[in-house]
Amino acid sequence: MRQVAEKMLGMTLITHQTGPEGRTVRRLLVEQGVNIARELYAGIVLDRERATDVVMVSTEGGVEIEKVAAETPELIFKAVADPALGLQPFQVKQLIYALKLEGNQIKSAIHFMNALYRAYRETDASLAEINPLVITADGSVMALDAKMNFDDNAIFRHKDIAEYRDFDEEEPAEIEASKFDLNYIKLDGNVGCMVNGAGLAMSTMDIIKLAGGEPANFLDVGGGASAESVKAGFRIIVSDPNVKAVLVNIFGGIVRCDRVAQGIIDALSDLDVKTPVVVRLAGTNAEEAARMLRESPLDFIVAADFREGARKVVEAVS
């Protein structure tokens, strides 16, 4: 797909190849200088409220589009692409005319916008941004810089794109978490958080701050949490030297609380965790999970509810 994008957009991308001894070789291809007459903006983004793609252009290229949206929103022109029909020819022409192009520039820009939309759709992208899109002194339309984001749920269909993942640019703990399908983001605090569900994760971080603490991470074990994934999550959390206590806040809807409890017991038994662990479990098999924790020889701090869990973990840190 890299070759397709290059051909359609007229750009040369950075290439990554595996060299001798399995080392990654990066080759940066430098383009020739361009005599720029005008700098424009073109982009496509997934509008989640409308559940469709929105194509945007602006005559104000070469600057942050967020700044343009805040200060001069009237200079951003949009077209909503129907999910079934795609971007229509009349919409492309409206966008091109909004850019105030003329002569041969119009024909080149129409080809460019169609190619950009095709590249966006065929790669399952959630963002394709050309900034700046330039008009050269001889009237050519060129993408001088580009940014693309891809849907994680569709990346399995694009192994060539997945190969561009640069592990050197990611936190080692986040890489390790992805091996177990865990969503992990490192933060600056000292309270480790293990939850299931992004909404519960955000609420847990908020209530920790409300209780006077600072979350050290965002770790979502997901709805299909198993004893193995919980154990892996614990290992990742306590590998952060800043973590002084851990709050496990699980609501058993899809996931079973007894499986989570077993994972916690296994983790603390195998990893020799020294930091205090506060556990709050509610939902499916919560009573069985509570029995397992009580009968375990390990030392847990059990919380009855959400607020008590946050208070106790902050007290443990203090």
Side-chain angles (χ1 to χ4, degrees), residues 20-210:
E21 301 178 359
R23 292 177 298 176
T24 299
V25 178
R26 296 182 179 84
R27 296 177 179 175
L28 177 61
L29 304 182
V30 181
E31 292 283 6
Q32 64 182 6
V34 177
N35 190 358
I36 300 173
R38 293 180 63 198
E39 294 188 7
L40 310 173
Y41 171 91
I44 307 174
V45 66
L46 174 63
D47 187 330
R48 298 187 183 277
E49 290 186 3
R50 298 182 181 182
T52 188
D53 299 318
V54 177
V55 185
M56 302 180 294
V57 299
S58 177
T59 55
E60 303 302 301
V63 298
E64 293 182 3
I65 194 65
E66 293 82 5
K67 182 178 180 180
V68 178
E71 298 179 359
T72 52
E74 68 277 5
L75 297 180
I76 299 178
F77 305 90
K78 302 177 182 180
V80 178
D82 186 279
L85 301 176
L87 187 65
Q88 295 297 291
F90 79 89
Q91 293 177 304
V92 174
K93 291 179 181 179
Q94 288 176 341
L95 293 170
I96 299 306
Y97 292 148
L99 293 176
K100 301 178 181 178
L101 302 180
E102 56 187 23
N104 292 333
Q105 297 173 2
I106 296 176
K107 183 178 180 181
S108 298
I110 289 175
H111 172 75
F112 183 93
M113 291 303 299
N114 285 325
L116 176 62
Y117 184 72
R118 181 184 165 201
Y120 173 89
R121 294 288 295 178
E122 291 186 359
T123 58
D124 289 304
S126 56
L127 170 72
E129 185 177 66
I130 310 297
N131 191 19
L133 170 67
V134 301
I135 309 298
T136 64
D138 62 4
S140 300
V141 179
M142 296 180 59
L144 208 60
D145 196 5
K147 174 183 178 181
M148 294 187 74
N149 291 345
F150 304 99
D151 185 349
D152 290 342
N153 295 316
I155 201 67
F156 71 93
R157 291 198 289 256
H158 307 286
K159 299 187 184 302
D160 55 337
I161 295 176
E163 290 175 357
Y164 285 105
R165 183 178 179 183
D166 188 350
F167 292 100
D168 293 336
E169 295 296 323
E170 300 182 36
E171 283 281 345
E174 293 179 11
I175 297 172
E176 182 67 16
S178 68
K179 297 177 182 178
F180 296 92
D181 294 324
L182 302 173
N183 297 314
Y184 175 87
I185 299 174
K186 187 180 184 306
L187 302 174
D188 297 328
N190 54 13
V191 178
C193 307
M194 177 181 290
V195 302
N196 63 322
L200 185 58
M202 299 300 291
S203 300
T204 301
M205 291 191 295
D206 286 345
I207 202 167
I208 287 173
K209 292 178 70 70
L210 187 64

Side-chain angles (χ1 to χ4, degrees), residues 261-272:
Q262 188 61 57
I264 296 171
I265 293 170
D266 292 346
L268 269 65
S269 299
D270 296 348
L271 302 176
D272 190 26

Side-chain angles (χ1 to χ4, degrees), residues 218-237:
F218 170 111
L219 189 137
D220 173 13
V221 297
S226 64
E228 292 75 19
S229 62
V230 171
K231 181 179 177 180
F234 246 105
R235 185 173 67 250
I236 293 167
I237 289 176

Side-chain angles (χ1 to χ4, degrees), residues 18 93 109 276 279 285 314:
T18 302
K93 291 179 181 179
V279 181
N285 288 2
V314 172

